[in-house]
Amino acid sequence: EDKVVQSPLSLVVHEGDTVTLNCSYEVTNFRSLLWYKQEKKAPTFLFMLTSSGIEKKSGRLSSILDKKELFSILNITATQTGDSAVYLCAVVFPDDKIIFGKGTRLHILP
Amino acid sequence: DAGITQSPRHKVTETGTPVTLRCHQTENHRYMYWYRQDPGHGLRLIHYSYGVKDTDKGEVSDGYSVSRSKTEDFLLTLESATSSQTSVYFCAIKDSRTNEKLFFGSGTQLSVL
């Protein structure tokens, strides 16, 4: 069974739109949640979330964690074609396993 | 790139042959991970290591073994490669300073014919 579930799996929007990507997980005992962006090569780090309710921001991207409801969201405002990528979330378990979801493939139309 | 080097970058091999992929790091991080990435599956954890000679299984460890005889090297071995092991393999290290962030190598494209 999938412990980390991302939705939607695929999303196509127009440049300038705002998107919300979801990551839900079926575990309560985890240390942190990570978000990554993957274009053609290796994933690159976006955010690490450890506490519920604290929003992390970087430019047009932001993310928040809800530990009670077991999910996280990644928001991208005023999307640009350069935001087209696969967005991955991962959960860090107490035994240091790091498990990823299947990712959301985001395509921004000009 | 957090000083991570994967080798080889590309490999084509035949079914039934053994294959070893190497991950080398230069920053003395304790934790190292091997993932495979296939369309529709995201990144799946194969094995990981939390120190020299300390390793543990991930989600898809069958058909793979690992060794870590030195802090800087983490080897992934396919004992007898199968076509289902055709994939892109990523090595990652966990940043000891933050203890959570993963940094990835450039990946190895493996084709098993």
Side-chain angles (χ1 to χ4, degrees):
Chain A
E1 75 287 357
D2 290 342
K3 293 193 171 91
V4 182
V5 179
Q6 292 187 244
S7 63
L9 291 180
S10 180
L11 185 59
V12 180
V13 300
H14 286 95
E15 203 168 22
D17 289 349
T18 293
V19 297
T20 298
L21 310 183
N22 301 289
C23 178
S24 64
Y25 43 91
E26 298 175 0
V27 290
T28 54
N29 60 331
F30 69 100
R31 293 212 305 259
S32 63
L33 186 142
L34 308 172
W35 281 98
Y36 284 82
K37 177 182 182 181
Q38 185 177 26
E39 297 173 89
K40 293 186 178 177
K41 296 185 179 178
T44 54
F45 175 79
L46 293 175
F47 296 113
M48 179 175 75
L49 302 158
T50 56
S51 300
S52 196
I54 297 176
E55 185 181 32
K56 293 283 185 87
K57 289 197 71 157
S58 177
R60 296 176 295 103
L61 278 66
S62 63
S63 184
I64 196 163
L65 177 66
D66 187 325
K67 275 192 169 181
K68 182 180 175 185
E69 300 298 329
L70 306 183
F71 75 92
S72 174
I73 60 172
L74 175 68
N75 275 322
I76 308 175
T77 59
T79 51
Q80 302 170 357
T81 54
D83 295 326
S84 294
V86 175
Y87 290 84
L88 299 160
C89 78
V91 168
V92 183
F93 287 85
D95 61 357
D96 295 299
K97 277 195 177 84
I98 303 178
I99 303 297
F100 282 81
K102 289 184 168 64
T104 293
R105 182 172 296 277
L106 176 64
H107 185 61
I108 311 295
L109 298 171
Chain B
D1 63 357
I4 307 170
T5 305
Q6 288 187 235
S7 59
R9 294 294 306 277
H10 303 273
K11 185 167 182 69
V12 180
T13 191
E14 293 184 347
T15 299
T17 59
V19 176
T20 294
L21 308 183
R22 181 182 184 232
C23 180
H24 178 78
Q25 58 141 329
T26 59
E27 299 186 0
N28 210 35
H29 294 291
R30 180 180 169 195
Y31 293 90
M32 299 182 76
Y33 298 76
W34 276 108
Y35 290 90
R36 61 176 289 175
Q37 188 169 38
D38 306 287
H41 288 280
L43 285 161
R44 290 184 291 176
L45 180 63
I46 305 172
H47 283 278
Y48 68 108
S49 169
Y50 44 95
V52 173
K53 296 192 176 151
D54 291 324
T55 65
D56 205 350
K57 294 180 180 180
E59 304 168 277
V60 290
S61 57
D62 287 348
Y64 301 95
S65 62
V66 289
S67 67
R68 189 149 178 223
S69 58
K70 300 183 289 185
T71 298
E72 57 265 36
D73 288 324
F74 191 31
L75 304 180
L76 177 70
T77 297
L78 290 65
E79 305 288 349
S80 177
T82 67
S83 58
S84 65
Q85 294 176 310
T86 292
S87 187
V88 179
Y89 291 86
F90 285 104
C91 173
I93 60 96
K94 192 162 64 151
D95 188 333
S96 302
R97 293 160 295 183
T98 65
N99 205 34
E100 301 295 66
K101 293 180 191 176
L102 274 183
F103 291 96
F104 287 85
S106 299
T108 295
Q109 173 67 63
L110 176 67
S111 297
V112 183
L113 305 178

